[in-house]
């Protein structure tokens, strides 16, 4: 990738595997590897949450009733319930948006999570891309988004770059007749959730997506939610099947937005920030080998560029570590890897393995 190519909007192409995700690195022969490929917080879900979900199993004979969980999410963000839609993970929300909204020119800001574009394509849309540049630290210039885009999708903090865009910059993308989708799946891993747009009602066309699977380790349960204007929520809800969120997932949603859980998540966010700083400092020792970290990083993962990254990734597997390849993200190529932030002891072991995996200078 040419890091000096101007940030631009371009027609999306099928040159990247938009359906590849980090879990592919730890399936089958990767199941025994130390997982730095998936961005789910380690050692989750906590015992209290597992017990709470398990307690809901006694009511499985009844159809799911999402009213209490929906009200809890609304209360957590200071919104009326009409502005909340519970979904089977944030990924379902991308499918609902692609199928329910009538848009002419959808634009996805890349590099970012690829499911939004994949869902739009599957729904028959032609998708344009705004490619952010490594030379700019993958920062967004709002002027790069075409004025006639009537759907804009951007992550914050962005997967895989770990860039946290200023809330004011993102809010400035709003236009009459435009739906602005901000994927905040990792925002609860940011101390203080600074730059969050969740809860804002003054940004026209704003749709915020949240996931409860990352911080709480519920990827197998599938629970997330949409925050949007009531008319948008109603449109998306009509596109959902009946009873889309299971009773255990509803129980988890209600628990994860309770005061106790919010306090625990806030504590975890500070711990992740400290562990990330430790990892980034260790990665700095490989600057002489050409390794570069995208900074500042604000998510529970970091994006690195290094020569021969594909070969290094394969060597790391042999040394017991799975990391996320970067070349499936539009705007990145085979020189990029994404690393999940883990505890310091795990990061130290990974750094020792990385030292063995990086080729010695000729």
């Amino acid at each position: 990738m040419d890091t000096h190519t101007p940030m631009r909007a371009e027609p999306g192409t099928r040159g990247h595997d938009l359906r590849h995700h980090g879990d592919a690195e730890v399936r089958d022969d990767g199941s025994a590897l130390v997982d730095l490929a998936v961005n789910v917080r380690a050692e989750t879900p906590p015992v209290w949450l597992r017990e709470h979900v398990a307690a809901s199993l006694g009511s499985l004979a009844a159809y799911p009733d999402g009213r209490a969980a929906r009200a809890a999410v609304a209360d957590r963000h200071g919104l009326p319930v009409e502005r909340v839609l519970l979904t089977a993970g944030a990924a379902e929300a991308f499918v609902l948006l692609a199928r329910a909204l009538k848009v002419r020119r959808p634009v996805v800001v890349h590099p970012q999570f690829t499911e939004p574009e994949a869902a739009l394509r599957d729904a028959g849309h032609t998708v344009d891309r705004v490619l952010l540049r490594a030379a700019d630290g993958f920062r967004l210039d709002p002027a790069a988004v075409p004025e006639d885009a009537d759907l804009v999708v951007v992550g914050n903090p962005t997967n895989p770059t770990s860039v946290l865009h200023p809330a004011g910059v993102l809010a400035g993308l709003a236009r009459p007749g435009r739906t602005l989708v901000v994927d905040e799946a990792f925002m609860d891993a940011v101390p203080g959730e600074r730059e969050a747009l969740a809860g804002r009602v003054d940004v026209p066309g704003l749709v915020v997506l949240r996931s409860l699977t990352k911080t709480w380790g519920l990827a197998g349960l599938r629970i997330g939610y949409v925050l949007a204007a009531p008319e948008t929520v109603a449109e998306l809800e009509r596109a959902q099947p009946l009873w889309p969120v299971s009773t255990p997932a509803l129980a988890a949603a209600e628990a994860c937005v309770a005061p106790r859980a919010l306090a625990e998540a806030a504590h975890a966010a500070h711990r992740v920030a400290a562990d990330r700083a430790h990892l980034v400092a260790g990665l700095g020792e490989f600057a002489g080998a050409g390794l570069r970290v995208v900074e500042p990083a604000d998510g529970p993962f970091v994006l690195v560029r290094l020569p021969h990254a594909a070969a290094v990734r394969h060597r790391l597997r042999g040394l017991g570590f799975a990391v996320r390849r970067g070349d499936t993200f539009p705007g990145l190529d085979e020189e990029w890897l994404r690393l999940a932030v883990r505890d310091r002891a795990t990061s130290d072991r990974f750094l020792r393995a990385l030292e063995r995996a990086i080729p010695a200078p000729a």
Side-chain angles (χ1 to χ4, degrees):
M1 183 187 70
D2 179 1
T3 58
H4 298 287
T5 301
M7 180 168 56
R8 63 200 184 277
E10 65 169 23
T13 64
R14 297 188 180 275
H16 294 80
D17 182 359
L18 301 180
R19 294 296 190 187
H20 180 92
H21 300 296
D23 60 324
E25 308 283 356
V26 290
R27 290 185 192 143
D28 302 327
D29 64 337
S31 60
L33 301 177
V34 176
D35 181 7
L36 275 67
V38 175
N39 291 327
V40 173
R41 184 162 62 98
E43 299 177 0
T44 53
V47 173
W48 66 263
L49 181 54
R50 292 201 301 270
E51 292 176 345
H52 184 83
V53 171
S56 73
L57 299 181
S59 57
L60 289 184
Y63 285 96
D65 183 349
R67 288 177 296 176
R70 188 180 184 187
V73 171
D75 184 65
R76 182 254 194 271
H77 292 288
L79 296 171
V81 293
E82 293 80 11
R83 284 183 166 267
V84 175
L85 180 68
L86 302 176
T87 59
E92 188 206 5
F94 293 124
V95 174
L96 296 177
L97 288 163
R99 294 179 178 177
L101 300 186
K102 305 299 186 286
V103 296
R104 301 178 309 278
R105 190 179 184 188
V107 171
V108 179
V109 179
H110 285 291
Q112 79 150 349
F113 184 50
T114 53
E115 277 302 309
E117 180 171 326
L120 285 163
R121 289 183 175 283
D122 287 348
H125 297 284
T126 298
V127 182
D128 285 348
R129 296 171 176 171
V130 170
L131 299 181
L132 307 188
R133 304 187 311 164
D136 296 330
F138 296 108
R139 297 282 159 182
L140 174 63
D141 175 3
V145 177
E147 274 298 318
D148 62 345
D150 56 356
L151 174 68
V152 177
V153 185
V154 61
N156 204 39
T158 305
N159 170 21
T161 63
S162 208
V163 168
L164 184 66
H165 301 290
V169 169
L170 297 185
L173 292 174
R175 300 283 189 279
R178 172 184 287 177
T179 300
L180 172 61
V181 179
V182 181
D183 176 8
E184 292 187 351
F186 295 99
M187 187 61 78
D188 58 357
V190 177
E193 295 196 1
R194 66 188 192 281
E195 313 303 345
L197 290 175
R200 293 275 295 270
V201 297
D202 60 326
V203 181
L206 176 65
V207 176
V208 174
L209 308 184
R210 286 287 182 110
S211 170
L212 296 173
T213 64
K214 315 299 184 185
T215 287
W216 296 109
L218 298 173
L221 196 59
R222 311 308 307 142
I223 180 63
Y225 54 89
V226 177
L227 306 175
E231 57 271 21
T232 301
V233 167
E235 282 187 81
L236 300 180
E237 192 169 18
R238 283 193 292 270
Q240 277 186 312
L242 291 173
W243 310 292
V245 181
S246 70
T247 295
L250 292 171
E254 193 171 355
C256 289
V257 296
R260 168 189 176 175
L262 295 180
E264 184 173 323
H267 176 74
H270 285 284
R271 187 171 68 248
V272 166
D275 289 340
R276 182 181 60 240
H278 179 78
L279 173 62
V280 170
L283 292 169
E285 299 298 318
F286 298 95
L291 187 148
R292 297 291 182 270
V293 182
V294 176
E295 295 188 84
D298 283 289
F301 46 86
V302 297
L303 182 66
V304 303
R305 188 178 193 180
L306 73 159
H308 314 295
V312 170
R313 182 173 67 88
H314 287 295
R315 292 190 191 104
L316 284 169
R317 292 182 71 84
L319 295 168
F321 290 87
V323 300
R324 173 66 159 90
R325 57 190 284 197
D327 62 312
T328 63
F329 294 99
L332 303 182
D333 59 24
E334 290 188 349
E335 291 195 345
W336 295 92
L337 300 173
R338 189 192 70 196
L339 313 174
V341 173
R342 300 294 186 233
D343 63 90
R344 294 189 180 198
T346 300
S347 290
D348 286 342
R349 288 192 290 120
F350 167 73
L351 292 167
R352 290 194 292 271
L354 182 62
E355 185 174 18
R356 294 175 59 190
I358 291 178

